[in-house]
Amino acid sequence: MTRILMVCLGNICRSPLAEGILRSEVTSANVFIDSAGTSNYHIGQHPDKRSVENALKHHVDISKLKARQFTVKDFDDFDYIFVMDSNNYNDVISLARNEIDRQKVELILNRVYPNANIAVPDPYYGNEDAFENVFFILEKACESISNSLIALNSESKLNN
Ligand code: 4NP
């Protein structure tokens, strides 16, 4: 079982979208996908209405997801932790206990643009276009992650 965690700040815009998109692209029962936020701002809430509506437009249903906060235990529960921007990266890394934890954390867009350290822009204060833009960015990233899983044939382990 490969366990993948998507992380952003609020867990209501970007990471639930990344979770939903990747889930729609990976059909293997051998892959577990979840998301979390580094903040406690929106714990227990469904994703932002604009994120839900934009995803639905692309046939991805994230309406039932509920926000939770990233915890140290997530380092034990997940193999890959994809973060959206450098703030998320620093916040997650600050909780890492050792090198094994640290190596699990990766900027998601480095899967599309290796080593470029490009952020997925936060659409929270943006308009509808910002959400549409984030959808396409995350779709590309998830496609790359999903291809890595397929490349390994069994879809049981991601290559780097
Ligand atoms: P997310 O977006 O990190 O993509 O879920 C945000 C959601 C909420 C806030 C900031 C970003 N906020 O400040 O409440």
Side-chain angles (χ1 to χ4, degrees):
M1 169 78 77
T2 300
R3 301 159 303 173
I4 298 172
L5 183 67
M6 302 296 191
V7 175
C8 63
L9 174 63
N11 193 206
I12 56 166
C13 296
R14 291 165 294 176
S15 61
L17 201 51
E19 175 186 348
I21 293 170
L22 187 61
R23 200 172 277 152
S24 74
E25 289 178 357
V26 174
T27 51
S28 168
N30 238 349
V31 182
F32 177 73
I33 305 158
D34 194 14
S35 66
T38 55
S39 76
N40 60 5
Y41 303 159
H42 299 280
I43 292 173
Q45 295 177 15
H46 293 299
D48 188 289
K49 197 168 160 265
R50 297 163 297 173
S51 229
V52 171
E53 282 173 2
N54 184 269
L56 267 184
K57 201 171 103 183
H58 298 282
H59 314 289
V60 175
D61 184 4
I62 59 169
S63 64
K64 307 282 189 311
L65 300 181
K66 275 192 183 166
R68 72 171 181 86
Q69 188 170 20
F70 181 88
T71 71
V72 167
K73 187 172 175 287
D74 287 315
F75 287 115
D76 299 323
D77 292 346
F78 291 91
D79 305 302
Y80 297 89
I81 299 169
F82 290 111
V83 296
M84 303 295 138
D85 61 34
S86 61
N87 287 330
N88 308 151
Y89 185 86
N90 293 334
D91 289 342
V92 170
I93 286 289
S94 74
L95 296 173
R97 300 155 298 186
N98 51 45
E99 195 51 32
I100 295 172
D101 287 354
R102 276 189 284 278
Q103 280 179 2
K104 293 183 177 186
V105 190
E106 199 180 332
L107 275 168
I108 191 168
L109 279 187
N110 278 355
R111 287 286 168 151
V112 185
Y113 311 105
N115 303 314
N117 297 336
I118 296 170
V120 178
D122 185 350
Y124 189 63
Y125 296 104
N127 56 15
E128 245 177 63
D129 285 353
F131 281 83
E132 181 78 345
N133 182 41
V134 164
F135 186 93
F136 287 120
I137 288 172
L138 287 176
E139 192 178 43
K140 223 179 202 181
C142 290
E143 213 172 86
S144 164
I145 293 167
S146 150
N147 284 339
S148 301
L149 289 163
I150 291 163
L152 283 187
N153 215 359
S154 66
E155 287 196 2
S156 64
K157 206 174 183 312
L158 268 178
N159 57 8
N160 271 304

